[in-house]
Amino acid sequence: MPEPRTKLVGRAGVSAADCMRIFPRKDKESGSAYAYRVLSYNILMLYMPPGAWIRESSVAEILEVSRTPVHEAMGLLRDRSLVEVAPQSATHVSRISVSQLRQSFYMRVAVEPLVVTQLARVITQPTLDELHRLVDAMDESLAIPYNEAKYIELNEEFHRTAYEAAAKGYVWESLQKTGCSFRRCCNMGVLFGYTKPSTEPFRKVLGFLENGGENRVEVAAAIHEYLSNYATYIEQLISDFPDCFVNVNTTASTRR
């Protein structure tokens, strides 16, 4: 059995292949899509910790695919700053860039209130019902026993559903590509117990949508408060897991 995340994070020289969680390949899923799905999940959920080295041949063997699709998946992961590929050196899971984290936060804070306001103009009852279902499921995941991974999954699904319903699916995908440092830091906070998530901001968004888009200032403040929650624990994370981060000198700017 792979070791718990907290034991793996910060350990020098750990092999990513020894930490991976494996799940079944989907019907008609290509080898490269499967490899990317498994690898990105493991990196974002901290099973493959920052700094862990990755041998493509080992991953291919574990996933029972050829090395070519794994190599293709590595290219996609590199484009999202999730792995670092150095010439004549081992591939590593990238460390979390505090500089990128800060910029991703600004993008989300700028874009998300606009998306929610747009959604209020076009939302349908089935979409509203689905968003309510997701928030209710988040509440269930926060009950004892606390299911951190499920909460993160539902959180992502809530946002994806909202962006797509507002006809902003491309914007969401773009934020996913450029905001991996932000996602990894927020996931660390949840998974390692540095923050206790709440569904209150999501309930405020739902109330905003149900009221036809009134109180825009209030919903923007709720989104800002929710997204900026990482600032309350980022310095402690860096102190506890210094090998997981780069650009640490920018942490003071994350409060602004």
Side-chain angles (χ1 to χ4, degrees):
M1 281 288 292
E3 293 184 75
R5 297 180 185 89
T6 48
K7 289 186 178 180
L8 293 168
V9 170
R11 180 193 296 179
V14 67
S15 168
D18 295 334
C19 316
M20 291 173 60
R21 262 49 174 185
I22 310 301
F23 32 83
R25 186 170 173 176
K26 296 179 180 179
D27 186 38
K28 298 182 180 179
E29 186 175 32
S30 69
S32 58
Y34 176 51
Y36 175 79
R37 183 165 63 91
V38 172
L39 290 167
S40 61
Y41 174 86
N42 277 276
I43 294 171
L44 289 169
M45 297 299 288
L46 282 302
Y47 287 116
M48 295 169 66
W53 54 272
I54 307 174
R55 183 175 289 118
E56 292 184 9
S57 57
S58 298
V59 174
E61 182 179 355
I62 292 171
L63 298 183
E64 298 181 346
V65 298
S66 69
R67 187 169 175 176
T68 298
V70 175
H71 185 72
E72 292 172 349
M74 288 296 181
L76 294 173
L77 294 167
R78 183 184 62 234
D79 291 344
R80 295 194 175 198
S81 301
L82 289 175
V83 300
E84 297 175 355
V85 183
Q88 299 180 341
S89 181
T91 299
H92 288 80
V93 176
S94 65
R95 289 170 171 79
I96 298 172
S97 167
V98 178
S99 175
Q100 290 181 11
L101 182 159
R102 177 168 58 96
Q103 295 178 65
S104 298
F105 164 74
Y106 284 131
M107 285 191 290
R108 288 284 297 271
V109 167
V111 169
E112 210 143 291
L114 297 177
V115 172
V116 173
T117 299
Q118 171 65 20
L119 179 58
R121 300 188 185 116
V122 299
I123 195 166
T124 63
Q125 190 60 47
T127 297
L128 192 56
D129 291 343
E130 174 62 8
L131 293 175
H132 270 289
R133 184 192 69 79
L134 291 168
V135 176
D136 288 342
M138 278 188 233
D139 271 330
E140 292 179 8
S141 74
L142 295 177
I144 307 261
Y146 179 29
N147 190 335
E148 305 97 329
K150 189 63 177 177
Y151 171 84
I152 291 171
E153 176 187 334
L154 291 165
N155 184 326
E156 291 293 307
E157 183 66 12
F158 179 95
H159 285 90
R160 183 193 64 78
T161 300
Y163 275 70
E164 289 182 353
K168 297 296 183 288
Y170 177 76
V171 175
W172 176 245
E173 287 303 313
S174 298
L175 290 172
Q176 294 297 283
K177 290 178 182 178
T178 58
C180 287
S181 290
F182 183 77
R183 290 176 65 193
R184 291 166 76 192
C185 177
C186 291
N187 288 357
M188 283 184 78
V190 172
L191 293 167
F192 297 167
Y194 285 77
T195 182
K196 184 63 161 77
S198 167
T199 58
E200 182 180 353
F202 298 97
R203 298 288 181 192
K204 288 182 179 179
V205 169
L206 289 174
F208 174 79
L209 296 173
E210 289 173 328
N211 292 329
E214 298 179 4
N215 298 322
R216 296 182 186 181
V217 173
E218 182 180 345
V219 79
I223 291 171
H224 185 281
E225 180 181 0
Y226 159 71
L227 292 175
S228 61
N229 180 55
Y230 77 93
T232 64
Y233 56 80
I234 178 65
E235 288 191 22
Q236 190 61 50
L237 274 179
I238 291 172
S239 175
D240 292 345
F241 304 107
D243 293 339
C244 292
F245 294 87
V246 293
N247 310 121
V248 174
N249 60 324
T250 63
T251 53
S253 300
T254 61
R255 298 197 191 93
R256 298 175 186 172

